[in-house]
């Protein structure tokens, strides 16, 4: 749930991407050809084709490659949502779990899927590369889908049919088989999600103005693809589950996922590939260890101090450009201070480069933004749990012969996204661009803030509608369309926030932390799901448990509207915190204004008045 622009203070608007140097990357052979300039047909960001050569813009990348990536995302989201929106019902009616327990198990599963993105990102950056990671984890995903289909198809893997509660619970073996299937799917999601959006963005060269603009269109259409997959999952596949049974409902996404793997492989010759750059987490720990070591050795970083950087044009992080030194988090600069002329400059646990230090600084800068949007993920968790539980006991008939499946009700949110993204891309962005002068109309931080603001009204609507439903003389006669506002507003919040997050975390990431940055943003969704579980458990314990509390097996006797009021308050407080964070945020480009004089960075050679020993000017940062 890769789920995706907002700055409330233009003076602090620092979310633009740093304009890359024409020679900022090494190529497939470790050197960048001279002909790979901006005007050349060769890319300047170090991407290679499937033969390991510097990628040619005429034959690779752009919209020649993006459709293959988007198709994979549609299939993965189709499968995920087809399972997520109906899993509560499957656990309640097929595995005989209580409603609160089923809801928390689903949110735990969703949380695991998104937190595991950190593992997928680590493997992609350190060892496998994004494309190979997507392929391997798509196969793991496929195995999980096969096992899930077997769980729904073989009677011995489920408890016997029960029409009257209390029902006999599923055995430990049946639960273990089902959870093995679900968590293989979660693991597959964890490997795919942090890589697929970044892999798609890798198909565009930032140094080419036309391609750079198309990249942001890709982000919008990528989000469109997510919602197209979700729409198919919660309409067609849910309908198949209702009419044909759980076996067919799980078998169809299994086939769809297999086809998506074949499609992704078919585009191999069209892609641009970034080689693994090593583990960003390891580099972060090295900076912390080196700075703490130097601190206890009495090193003080003062204006004019020399900082270490390698003498090559590119950084010593494979394929990554050098980064400017910034003034923030000066304690970490101690990791780049040379304390001994005879020290081993190749030991990064003792001496780090400026680029390595700045990489960690960039990561730390986004932490407040990340933390101040987690509350929204708690609200998103309700889309596949309590929102659907409400729909399940409301009037869903359209005419005498058709009843909307409860699992298809989130179509209210998905349709909103499918309609809003093209309108935003084609109408709203050009209009806002003419007013704000920003190439995306709104900055990524501003876009995120709009989404957070809308989410307050989504939960406010949910609370009021649930009170009306619960106090109605015949709650089951109330139309499911009363839930439309909360689904519609939550879908709108997702459109703004998710795409804004996609843009923000990609923009603020350094060359060596693209996948980790995507995973970090996605892990927020997982943590939000876990926090939702914790909140449900706390409210259960504090209000009397499953039988007497606010959240019971019988929603008509529950006080779900009180739960929604709590979420409304959490979202309102979170929005105020976000305003403060966004107002004070200074990104990578904002930090450029405080770049130190190049004479402060020692490029591995003796600097004399800005010149090296050869007498030529030293090129420090690109």
């Amino acid at each position: 749930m890769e789920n995706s622009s907002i700055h409330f203070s233009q003076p602090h608007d620092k979310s633009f991407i740093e304009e890359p140097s024409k020679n900022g990357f090494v190529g497939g052979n470790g050197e960048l050809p001279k002909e790979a300039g901006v005007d050349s047909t060769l890319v300047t960001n170090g991407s290679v084709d499937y033969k390991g050569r510097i990628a040619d813009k005429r034959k690779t990348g752009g919209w020649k490659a993006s459709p293959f990536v988007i198709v994979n995302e549609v299939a993965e989201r189709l499968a995920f949502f087809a399972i997520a929106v109906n899993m509560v019902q499957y656990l309640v009616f097929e595995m005989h779990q209580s409603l609160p327990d089923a809801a928390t198990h689903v949110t735990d599963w969703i949380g695991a899927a998104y937190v595991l993105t950190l593992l997928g990102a680590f493997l992609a950056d350190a060892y496998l590369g994004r494309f190979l990671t997507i392929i391997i984890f798509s196969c793991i995903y496929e195995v999980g889908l096969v096992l899930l289909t077997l769980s729904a198809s073989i009677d011995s893997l489920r408890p016997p049919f029960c029409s009257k509660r209390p029902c006999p619970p599923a055995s430990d073996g049946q639960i273990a088989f089902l959870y093995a299937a679900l968590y293989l799917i979660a693991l597959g999601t964890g490997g795919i999600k942090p890589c697929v959006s970044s892999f798609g963005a890798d198909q565009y060269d930032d140094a080419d103005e036309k391609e750079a603009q198309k990249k942001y269109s890709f982000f919008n259409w990528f989000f469109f693809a997510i919602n197209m997959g979700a729409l198919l999952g919660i309409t067609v596949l849910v309908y198949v589950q209702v009419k044909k049974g759980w076996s067919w409902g799980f078998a169809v996404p299994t086939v769809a996922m297999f086809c998506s793997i074949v499609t992704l492989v078919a585009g191999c010759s069209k892609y641009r590939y970034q080689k693994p750059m090593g583990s960003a987490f390891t580099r972060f720990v090295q900076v912390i260890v080196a700075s703490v070591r130097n601190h206890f050795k009495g090193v003080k970083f003062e204006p004019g101090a020399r900082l270490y950087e390698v003498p090559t044009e590119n950084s010593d992080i494979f394929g990554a450009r050098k980064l400017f030194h910034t003034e923030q988090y000066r304690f970490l600069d101690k990791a780049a201070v040379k304390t001994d002329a005879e020290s081993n400059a190749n030991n990064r646990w003792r001496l780090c480069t400026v680029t390595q230090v700045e990489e960690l600084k960039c990561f730390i800068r986004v932490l407040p933004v990340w933390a101040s949007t987690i509350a929204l993920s708690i609200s998103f968790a309700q889309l596949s749990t309590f929102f659907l539980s409400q729909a399940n006991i409301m009037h869903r008939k359209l005419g005498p012969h058709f009843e909307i499946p409860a699992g298809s009700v989130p179509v209210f949110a998905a349709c909103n996204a499918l309609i809003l993204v093209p309108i935003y891309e084609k109408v709203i962005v050009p209009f806002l661009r003419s007013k704000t002068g920003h190439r995306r109309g709104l900055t990524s931080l501003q876009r995120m803030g709009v989404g957070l603001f809308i989410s307050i009204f989504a939960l406010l609507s949910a609370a009021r509608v649930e009170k009306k439903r619960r106090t109605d003389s015949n709650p089951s006669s109330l139309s499911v369309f009363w839930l439309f506002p909360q689904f519609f507003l939550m879908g709108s919040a997702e459109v703004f926030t998710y795409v804004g997050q996609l843009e923000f975390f990609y923009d603020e990431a350094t060359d060596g932390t693209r996948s980790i940055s995507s995973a970090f943003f996605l892990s927020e969704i997982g943590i939000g799901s876990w926090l939702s579980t914790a909140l449900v458990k706390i409210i259960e314990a504090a209000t009397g448990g499953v039988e007497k509390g606010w959240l019971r097996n019988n929603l008509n006797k529950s006080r779900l509207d009180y739960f929604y009021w709590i979420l409304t308050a959490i979202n309102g407080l979170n929005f105020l915190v976000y305003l403060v964070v966004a107002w004070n945020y200074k990104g990578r480009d904002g930090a450029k204004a405080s770049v130190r004089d190049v004479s402060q960075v020692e490029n591995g050679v003796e600097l004399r008045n800005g010149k090296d020993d050869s007498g030529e000017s030293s090129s420090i940062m690109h």
Side-chain angles (χ1 to χ4, degrees), residues 100-175:
D101 284 347
T104 54
H105 289 155
V106 170
T107 52
D108 285 344
W109 170 66
I110 292 173
Y114 285 100
V115 171
L116 281 168
T117 56
L118 294 170
L119 172 64
F122 169 77
L123 293 175
D125 283 344
Y127 303 108
L128 301 176
R130 293 182 188 118
F131 175 74
L132 190 56
T133 301
I134 294 171
I135 293 295
I136 291 173
F137 281 86
S138 292
C139 292
I140 293 173
Y141 200 119
E142 180 68 12
V143 172
L145 287 171
V146 170
L147 294 180
L148 183 61
T149 304
L150 291 176
S151 174
S153 304
I154 300 174
D155 290 341
S156 62
L157 294 175
R158 302 186 312 282
F161 176 76
C162 172
S163 59
K164 187 177 181 181
R165 290 184 177 273
C167 295
S171 69
D172 291 342
Q174 292 167 338
I175 290 291

Side-chain angles (χ1 to χ4, degrees), residues 475-607:
S476 61
S477 67
L478 203 64
S479 171
V480 74
F481 285 96
W482 277 95
L483 299 180
F484 176 79
Q486 66 200 61
F487 276 100
F488 180 85
L489 289 170
M490 192 59 73
S492 299
E494 187 178 21
V495 168
F496 281 97
T497 305
Y498 188 90
V499 179
Q501 287 173 312
L502 273 177
E503 294 175 352
F504 175 78
F505 283 96
Y506 188 89
D507 286 3
E508 295 303 308
T510 62
D511 295 327
T513 61
R514 296 288 190 219
S515 296
I516 288 295
S517 185
S518 294
F520 190 60
F521 137 58
L522 291 167
S523 70
E524 174 186 290
I525 301 173
I527 292 172
S529 294
W530 286 348
L531 289 175
S532 175
T533 295
L535 187 61
V536 168
K537 292 296 184 183
I538 290 170
I539 290 175
E540 267 188 30
T543 60
V546 177
E547 299 301 326
K548 299 180 180 180
W550 289 1
L551 304 174
R552 310 182 191 181
N553 272 322
N554 187 339
L555 278 187
N556 291 330
K557 296 180 180 179
S558 298
R559 296 293 185 270
L560 186 59
D561 51 326
Y562 294 175
F563 176 64
Y564 288 154
W565 280 116
I566 290 175
L567 290 178
T568 302
I570 290 173
N571 277 269
L573 179 61
N574 178 79
F575 177 69
L576 295 178
V577 172
Y578 178 82
L579 286 179
V580 175
V581 171
W583 183 277
N584 291 285
Y585 183 78
K586 295 182 180 180
R588 286 205 293 147
D589 282 357
K592 282 185 186 178
S594 62
V595 174
R596 294 182 180 279
D597 184 87
V598 293
S599 62
Q600 289 181 260
V601 179
E602 186 171 308
N603 231 11
V605 294
E606 182 182 358
L607 296 177

Side-chain angles (χ1 to χ4, degrees), residues 14-33:
K14 310 299 182 184
S15 62
F16 297 112
I17 291 180
E18 178 180 349
E19 291 299 329
S21 168
K22 297 180 183 180
N23 51 2
F25 279 94
V26 292
N29 60 355
E31 296 180 359
L32 186 72

